[in-house]
């Protein structure tokens, strides 16, 4: 098992750092381009939600991302100590947003659920939120039964 923890300031510009860190973390598993893109998009949504919704876009707070690899199972945990979510079921509904004035699409959780195998949300109002996502990184075998080489240069 391998584990890494990244703590970043709650700046929208740091979303790309979280994406690259997650991509680099799974690079040894040689994910295909689709797996890599899906995981990076889900990480972007989770970290952006923490910054925009958890902290109201206010810089100077911390978003913590914990990455774990257990064999080929990736677990990404994104935690904030922000305002929390009062109704998780409602927040997970497509097109629901608490910030329509910022032209938020309300698809964050829907995107995460589309691109990851599982998405769990634990939140306490006035305490914070943790989003835990998992994705199994597949092994692709060539026609001859051997593992194929894939291009992981898009990390």
């Amino acid at each position: 098992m391998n584990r890494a923890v990244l703590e970043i300031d709650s700046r929208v510009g740091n979303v790309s750092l979280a994406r690259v860190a997650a991509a680099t973390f799974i690079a040894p598993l040689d994910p295909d381009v689709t797996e890599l893109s899906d995981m990076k998009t889900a990480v972007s949504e989770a970290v952006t939600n923490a910054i925009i919704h958890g902290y109201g876009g206010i810089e100077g707070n911390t978003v913590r991302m914990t990455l774990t690899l257990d064999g080929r199972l990736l677990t990404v945990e994104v935690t904030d100590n922000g305002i929390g979510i009062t109704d998780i079921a409602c927040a997970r509904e497509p097109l629901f947003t608490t910030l329509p004035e910022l032209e938020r699409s309300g698809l964050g959780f829907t995107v995460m659920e589309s691109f990851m195998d599982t998405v769990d949300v634990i939140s306490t109002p006035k305490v914070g939120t943790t989003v835990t996502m998992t994705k199994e990184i597949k092994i692709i075998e060539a026609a001859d039964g051997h593992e194929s080489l894939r291009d992981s240069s898009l990390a």
Side-chain angles (χ1 to χ4, degrees):
M1 182 142 73
N2 190 16
R3 183 172 174 269
V5 178
L6 175 67
E7 290 188 353
I8 59 173
D9 188 57
S10 57
R11 298 173 184 264
V12 173
N14 284 339
V15 172
S16 60
L17 173 60
R19 288 170 52 95
V20 170
T24 302
F25 186 74
I26 67 167
L29 296 181
D30 195 24
D32 69 23
V33 174
T34 301
E35 289 171 322
L36 192 59
S37 177
D38 289 354
M39 182 274 309
K40 287 169 63 175
T41 300
V43 164
S44 291
E45 292 296 331
V47 173
T48 298
N49 277 357
I51 294 168
I52 300 296
H53 297 286
Y55 293 125
I58 298 171
E59 297 178 0
N61 296 291
T62 300
V63 176
R64 179 184 180 110
M65 182 172 71
T66 304
L67 302 155
T68 307
L69 274 176
D70 187 359
R72 299 191 71 82
L73 180 65
L74 170 68
T75 302
V76 179
E77 186 177 278
V78 177
T79 301
D80 67 67
N81 297 314
I83 64 168
I85 302 170
T86 55
D87 187 341
I88 294 171
C90 186
R92 292 180 82 149
E93 288 293 318
L95 305 177
F96 174 82
T97 182
T98 58
L99 298 170
E101 67 278 7
L102 296 181
E103 298 183 18
R104 307 304 301 172
S105 67
L107 294 173
F109 284 121
T110 302
V111 168
M112 288 180 242
E113 291 167 348
S114 296
F115 292 141
M116 301 296 279
D117 296 338
T118 67
V119 177
D120 296 308
V121 183
I122 298 172
S123 190
T124 303
K126 300 181 183 175
V127 175
T129 302
T130 298
V131 175
T132 304
M133 306 176 287
T134 64
K135 185 167 190 74
E136 183 80 24
I137 307 301
K138 307 289 188 257
I139 297 173
I140 297 202
E141 292 186 8
D144 62 5
H146 292 91
E147 187 176 331
S148 69
L149 297 175
R150 295 184 281 185
D151 181 10
S152 60
S153 64
L154 299 177

